[in-house]
Structure formats: structure tokens, C-alpha cells
């Protein structure tokens, strides 16, 4: 049986079974994220029965999902490509599961599954919750190991060190952990999850409350990053990874679809420059698929966008313009090095990202 516990973070909400795509807005109520996950861990001491082994585990992570995008970035930054393979579901899902519709024959080539739910049901035939990404699957059994993405990236840094590339950055500097946790908690509750509270609010009152909380936090970030290149100072940490995946989706999805429209990201000088800086950093922007992001939000959330029309914009060329942030720090990797080129077969589709022609 799966061990399901509350976690410190969240994934895409589990849709109900009321429509083909699910219902995300509960009329009259504020949005509350389901925080229950399979909390099994892959650790050096094997406390839960799983130890890091190259080639054994498959990370299933849809590019469209911000929570999954975090794991793709951290995997790239640490150089875990040879140790942990990836499965990439398509950008849309129905009320039951993410699907491997981008793969030949509609099946993940390693797992042989058409639907991610098959890995969940292999672990627990009565699995009661939403089928979420990211998910780590044991390829030797086909069973889900964990979908607790907050812990997944922590463990990539702490438990998979034997498989890190030479020059991999320390994304969790010991002397900044206490402040980092506070910063990441505020980013999660007010920004990462804050955009969802706006988009899935069940009343005008709840929407306006969520909107005000979001923009209070966005203004705090604008101030915090005015005189420091990264959230914790001179070097990239996981805090930056966690903020980036929301910022990179802001104008393409959240501004219109989730009504977070006080202003666009491109109208906030500091945050826009910070986001461009990270986007142009190897391991960040090269994981982003803007077309899949738009298709996910505008098609899956049909109760918000019943026409399911996907917007053609916004223009993406601005992501490659100079940012000037390197004047604040010239050592993003804290003495380490940038990751190498994207592996063959893991590239974002041409035309879906200004980095890929």
C-alpha cells in the first residue's frame, strides 16, 4: 500500500470526475490544494527500501506543469541525466491521468504505459488521489515510488551526490538554509500556489483576496531582488528554481487565464530582468516549452476557459534580450560550472522556445 501523507508543497490539483477534463473551481469557496502525497524516499541509507541506482528510476515530468518543471531543472543542474531517465507526458490530461501521447504508439518507451495512472495502480490498485506529476517510477517493478515533488528535488541534491556531475552547484548552502526555507515557504504559499488561488477562486471575494496576497508577494520579490542577483544573494539556489517556474509561466498563462492581471511580468523591471537572467542560464530556459504550457492551462481547465482556445501570444523574443543582472554577481555556480548541452532526445520542440530555432 502507498504511504500517503501531507507534504510541504503541491502539484496540479486532482480534478473531479464531473466533466471529461475535470472541474477545478468549487463555487463559493477559496481554492485549497490537496497536499497528500506518496512520501516514500530514495535515500543512501535505503530507509524506505529504495537507494539511488543509476538506470533504475524514471522521472515522469510533464513540461507543462510548473511543479514537474522544477525537477527537470534540478536534474539538469546536477547532471543526473545518466542516472535518472525521464518520461515526458503530453501537455493535456483528462480527469483520470496524464498520458504519454507524445511518444510513438502513445506509450512511454521504457515503462510501456499509456497512462501514468498505471504506475500508481501498480503500487496500489485502490490509489485514492489524483495522478500527479512529477512522479518517480521504479522501472524494475513499474510501480510508483513517490510523487512528493518537494522532497524529490531535495533528495536529488542530498541523496544522489554519487551521481552528480563534476562542477554541480550546491543548491542548498548550509549557511543559508534557515532563511532559504522561509523564503521558499513564502514563495510557495503566496506566488507558486497564489496564482492558482486566483485562478480557481470560487467567488469574487476569494479571488480578490488571493489577488491582493499574490501582488503583495510579487512586490516583495521586486524589492528583494533589486540589489541581489539571486534570491539568496550571489549564487543560484533551489529557491531560484522554485520561483522561476512560476515566473516563466506568468505572462503566457497566469496573467490572462488566472486573472492575475495587475500587470505583466514584463512590466516589472527587476523581476523581468531576473527571470530573463535565469531563462538564459543553462538548465533553466532550455527545459521550458511555452506551447505545451499554454495548451495545458487553456485546454485542461475547461471550466475556466470553456472554448479551450489556446492564445497565440505572447511574443517570446524578449526572453533573449540583455538583462544586466551579471553586474550584481559574476559567480552563479558558487565555484561550480554550468551544465552541458541538453541531451539528445530531451530537447524542447523547435518553435516552442526562443532558445530552440
Amino acid at each position: 500500500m502507498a504511504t500517503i501523507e501531507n507534504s510541504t508543497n503541491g502539484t496540479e490539483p486532482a480534478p473531479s470526475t464531473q466533466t471529461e477534463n475535470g472541474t477545478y473551481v468549487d463555487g463559493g469557496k477559496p481554492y485549497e490544494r490537496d497536499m497528500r502525497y506518496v512520501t516514500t524516499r530514495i535515500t543512501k541509507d535505503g530507509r524506505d527500501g529504495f537507494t539511488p541506482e543509476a538506470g533504475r528510476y524514471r522521472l515522469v515530468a510533464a513540461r507543462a506543469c510548473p511543479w514537474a518543471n522544477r525537477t527537470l531543472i534540478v536534474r539538469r543542474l546536477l547532471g543526473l541525466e545518466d542516472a535518472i531517465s525521464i518520461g515526458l507526458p503530453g501537455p493535456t490530461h483528462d480527469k483520470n491521468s496524464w498520458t504519454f501521447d507524445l511518444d510513438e504508439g502513445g506509450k512511454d518507451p521504457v515503462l510501456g504505459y499509456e497512462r501514468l495512472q498505471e504506475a500508481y495502480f501498480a503500487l496500489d490498485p485502490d490509489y485514492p488521489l489524483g495522478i500527479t506529476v512529477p512522479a518517480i517510477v521504479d522501472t524494475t517493478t513499474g510501480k510508483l515510488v513517490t510523487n512528493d515533488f518537494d522532497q524529490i528535488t531535495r533528495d536529488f541534491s542530498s541523496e544522489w551526490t554519487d551521481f552528480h556531475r563534476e562542477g554541480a552547484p550546491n543548491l542548498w548552502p548550509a549557511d543559508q538554509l534557515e532563511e532559504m526555507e522561509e523564503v521558499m515557504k513564502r514563495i510557495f504559499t503566496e506566488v507558486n500556489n497564489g496564482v492558482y488561488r486566483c485562478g480557481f477562486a470560487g467567488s469574487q471575494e476569494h479571488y480578490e483576496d488571493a489577488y491582493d496576497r499574490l501582488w503583495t508577494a510579487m512586490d516583495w520579490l521586486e524589492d528583494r531582488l533589486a540589489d541581489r542577483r539571486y534570491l539568496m544573494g550571489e549564487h543560484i539556489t533551489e529557491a531560484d528554481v522554485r520561483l522561476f517556474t512560476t515566473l516563466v509561466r506568468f505572462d503566457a498563462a497566469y496573467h490572462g487565464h488566472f486573472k492575475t492581471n495587475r500587470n505583466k511580468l514584463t512590466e516589472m523591471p527587476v523581476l523581468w530582468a531576473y527571470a530573463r537572467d535565469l531563462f538564459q542560464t543553462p538548465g533553466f530556459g532550455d527545459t521550458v516549452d511555452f506551447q505545451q504550457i499554454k495548451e495545458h492551462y487553456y485546454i485542461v481547465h475547461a471550466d475556466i476557459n470553456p472554448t479551450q482556445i489556446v492564445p497565440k501570444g505572447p511574443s517570446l523574443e524578449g526572453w533573449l534580450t540583455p538583462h544586466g543582472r551579471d553586474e550584481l554577481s559574476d559567480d552563479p555556480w558558487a565555484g561550480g560550472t554550468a551544465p552541458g548541452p541538453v541531451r539528445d532526445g530531451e530537447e524542447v520542440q523547435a518553435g516552442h522556445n526562443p532558445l530552440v530555432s
Side-chain angles (χ1 to χ4, degrees):
M1 294 292 289
T3 301
I4 301 170
E5 298 179 0
N6 288 339
S7 179
T8 58
N9 244 313
T11 63
E12 285 292 308
S16 75
T17 58
Q18 296 178 32
T19 68
E20 180 179 353
N21 287 305
T23 298
Y24 295 86
V25 177
D26 193 349
K29 297 181 180 179
Y31 170 65
E32 295 185 7
R33 185 175 294 279
D34 188 343
M35 306 289 277
R36 294 169 293 170
Y37 303 97
V38 176
T39 58
T40 306
R41 293 178 59 192
I42 302 168
T43 58
K44 292 179 180 179
D45 63 10
R47 71 193 70 169
D48 292 340
F50 298 94
T51 56
E53 298 177 39
R56 177 176 177 180
Y57 305 101
R58 190 157 178 82
L59 171 65
V60 179
R63 293 193 189 276
C65 172
W67 322 103
N69 195 176
R70 295 181 185 183
T71 62
L72 295 175
I73 293 171
V74 172
R75 174 179 173 270
R76 281 270 291 129
L77 298 183
L78 298 180
L80 292 173
E81 292 97 330
D82 289 335
I84 305 170
S85 67
I86 56 168
L88 297 169
T92 62
H93 58 73
D94 58 23
K95 65 180 181 294
N96 294 318
S97 180
W98 293 87
T99 56
F100 296 101
D101 48 292
L102 300 180
D103 291 310
E104 184 176 355
K107 291 185 178 182
D108 180 89
V110 172
L111 300 174
Y113 291 155
E114 295 181 354
R115 309 173 71 80
L116 180 56
Q117 68 183 12
E118 295 174 66
Y120 281 72
F121 293 153
L123 175 67
D124 179 358
D126 299 316
Y127 184 78
L129 304 177
I131 308 301
T132 61
V133 290
I136 293 183
V137 180
D138 183 347
T139 63
T140 67
T141 63
K143 296 180 180 180
L144 174 77
V145 177
T146 180
N147 64 345
D148 184 0
F149 85 97
D150 174 66
Q151 192 63 49
I152 287 173
T153 53
R154 293 171 186 266
D155 287 344
F156 280 177
S157 283
S158 64
E159 306 298 325
W160 287 82
T161 54
D162 290 344
F163 302 93
H164 287 185
R165 65 178 176 86
E166 184 177 356
N170 177 9
L171 300 177
W172 295 86
D175 61 341
Q176 294 182 310
L177 288 182
E178 184 175 355
E179 184 184 3
M180 258 185 72
E181 293 287 5
E182 293 175 356
V183 169
M184 292 190 302
K185 181 178 180 181
R186 185 171 183 183
I187 288 171
F188 171 68
T189 59
E190 306 305 300
V191 181
N192 300 147
N193 198 43
V195 293
Y196 285 86
R197 276 203 311 272
C198 291
F200 296 151
S203 72
Q204 186 72 32
E205 177 185 2
H206 294 309
Y207 161 71
E208 292 186 7
D209 176 68
Y211 178 98
D212 290 343
R213 286 178 59 180
L214 169 66
W215 285 108
T216 295
M218 292 286 278
D219 289 338
W220 161 67
L221 289 166
E222 183 85 351
D223 290 341
R224 182 179 179 89
L225 289 163
D227 59 358
R228 63 181 82 194
R229 187 172 182 182
Y230 305 109
L231 282 166
M232 301 309 301
E234 296 185 355
H235 314 304
I236 291 170
T237 67
E238 179 145 335
D240 299 295
V241 176
R242 295 181 179 215
L243 177 58
F244 172 77
T245 58
T246 294
L247 296 183
V248 80
R249 287 162 173 75
F250 201 89
D251 288 2
Y254 304 143
H255 178 271
H257 184 59
F258 278 174
K259 307 179 185 67
T260 62
N261 60 351
R262 189 192 76 177
N263 52 259
K264 297 177 181 178
L265 178 66
T266 56
E267 296 166 346
M268 301 189 77
V270 173
L271 274 176
W272 174 223
Y274 166 81
R276 298 200 314 278
D277 185 5
L278 289 177
F279 184 84
Q280 295 169 31
T281 299
F284 283 84
D286 54 36
T287 69
V288 175
D289 188 312
F290 285 102
Q291 184 61 30
Q292 287 196 26
I293 288 168
K294 291 189 295 184
E295 289 177 6
H296 171 71
Y297 286 98
Y298 285 93
I299 293 175
V300 171
H301 303 154
D303 55 339
I304 297 176
N305 182 42
T307 67
Q308 297 181 297
I309 292 173
V310 178
K312 191 172 181 178
S315 173
L316 301 176
E317 288 76 11
W319 284 101
L320 301 185
T321 58
H323 52 75
R325 300 282 295 176
D326 45 4
E327 296 179 358
L328 297 171
S329 166
D330 60 1
D331 186 19
W333 308 110
T337 59
V342 177
R343 297 297 180 89
D344 290 344
E346 295 188 6
E347 307 93 336
V348 172
Q349 184 174 335
H352 291 192
N353 181 319
L355 292 167
V356 185
S357 58

